[in-house]
Amino acid sequence: MQLSDEYSQVINIVKVLCMFGVIYIHASAVPYVDCSPAMLYYQQFITRVLTSFAVPGFFMCSGFLYFLNFNGLESYKVKSISRLKSLVVPYLFWGAFNLLITWFIQDVLDFAHLFGAGNMKLIRDFTFVDFINSFWGVRDGAPFLSTMWFLRDLIVCMVITPQLYLLLKGKYGKVILGIILVLCLMRLSFFHIAVSSIFWFSLGAFIAIHHINVFAKINKCKKNIFAVGLVFTLMYSLVYTENSEMRPIFYSILQMVTIVVLFINILLLAMLLVGTKWGDRLAKLSLASYFIYLIHEPYMGYVLQLFIRLVKLVSPFSLFPAFISLIPIVFPIVIILVCLGIFKIMKKSFPKILSFVVGGKV
């Protein structure tokens, strides 16, 4: 299956939108303020419901691209070497860099109590085992730099691609995918690796392996896609909860369907943007958006906490809800622009360093 230039640009735009969606996930003010029911719904609608496609969408794109034109062992060698550079190197670098920065904050600046680092063992007290665990699962199953769980799971998916290829390519491929889906609905994980990560990656892989032209299918029913997306988004928003004990099987199914529907909407949006000025701009941000994902946390969380404290001090009480309501919309845009500015400075002044930390040519 060959991708045309048009559909290659569609995939690039989708990856950028998924990465930006991740930034919006981390823009919720809920952990730092007492919210009314209306404010809670509003914050969760923007930072959890509308963005629910982001991480699964990138897993699907990764699985699809990995198995696009896959020809067995030789492809596995070539693609694995490529992913070693683009995934493993950034994963190790940013994990180590964050440990260093956290140590600096804790010991040099003595600000551990401000940033919540005092809830964990201080870096200076880490044992060798603690340092190893910090790259795998030390924060409720996530690495020390918690946003890196996504890269960790993606690396594991890459490791098991030969097995996935054999299972999904065979006559029982749909059955295997269905079994992974059931395990995903059960919210299982093994050694901190969520089955949901493997499912979304496998779904993208299945589409590529069996040469399913999703673009043509979307074009056939594009008139109704946005309307269906709106309906499922509203349904999901009305039942959304972060309490894992209040998620029956119906909730899990609705969540999965909503993610798929939203991702199809993002695909259609990208298809409509191809050839436009905005589409060209977004497609060119593919590597920059990866850099933004790698660098934005935990600093985005630090800045958000400080900003909310500052707003509490200087804003009239009556205006505080208005400021808080702007955070999930404006704050991610500011973070994206700042990180994009850092990317452009590094690209101009330190291209080799930038190439190393993002695992690719700039």
Side-chain angles (χ1 to χ4, degrees), residues 108-216:
V108 179
L109 300 181
D110 196 26
F111 282 165
H113 60 288
L114 292 180
F115 293 100
N119 296 327
M120 292 186 63
K121 185 186 293 187
L122 296 177
I123 301 298
R124 65 169 178 261
D125 297 326
F126 269 30
T127 65
F128 176 76
V129 173
D130 291 327
F131 279 110
I132 296 300
N133 286 336
S134 68
F135 287 92
W136 187 259
V138 72
R139 289 179 182 250
D140 297 323
F144 186 81
L145 179 53
S146 58
T147 52
M148 289 292 105
W149 74 264
F150 161 68
L151 282 191
R152 179 202 62 193
D153 287 16
L154 190 54
I155 291 168
V156 171
C157 287
M158 300 301 174
V159 171
I160 64 173
T161 47
Q163 291 79 14
L164 285 176
Y165 179 71
L166 292 175
L167 291 171
L168 296 174
K169 184 178 177 62
K171 59 186 293 187
Y172 298 108
K174 291 182 180 179
V175 176
I176 297 298
L177 190 64
I179 292 173
I180 301 174
L181 172 60
V182 172
L183 296 177
C184 176
L185 291 171
M186 295 169 64
R187 301 185 180 277
L188 296 180
S189 62
F190 301 96
F191 303 103
H192 303 312
I193 305 301
V195 175
S196 60
S197 301
I198 299 173
F199 170 73
W200 294 117
F201 183 87
S202 299
L203 181 57
F206 185 87
I207 292 171
I209 291 170
H210 292 277
H211 310 295
I212 300 172
N213 192 334
V214 293
F215 308 106

Side-chain angles (χ1 to χ4, degrees), residues 49-67:
V49 176
L50 283 180
T51 60
S52 58
F53 72 90
V55 175
F58 200 82
F59 272 112
M60 281 187 275
C61 287
S62 299
F64 177 78
L65 292 174
Y66 190 95
F67 285 102

Side-chain angles (χ1 to χ4, degrees), residues 309-348:
R309 292 186 184 192
L310 181 63
V311 169
K312 285 181 178 179
L313 289 174
V314 302
S315 68
F317 180 77
S318 60
L319 294 179
F320 183 69
F323 279 108
I324 296 303
S325 65
L326 288 174
I327 286 176
I329 297 177
V330 178
F331 188 62
I333 296 175
V334 173
I335 293 297
I336 289 170
L337 291 176
V338 170
C339 292
L340 184 59
I342 296 173
F343 175 85
K344 289 184 176 180
I345 291 172
M346 291 190 67
K347 184 176 181 180
K348 182 178 180 180

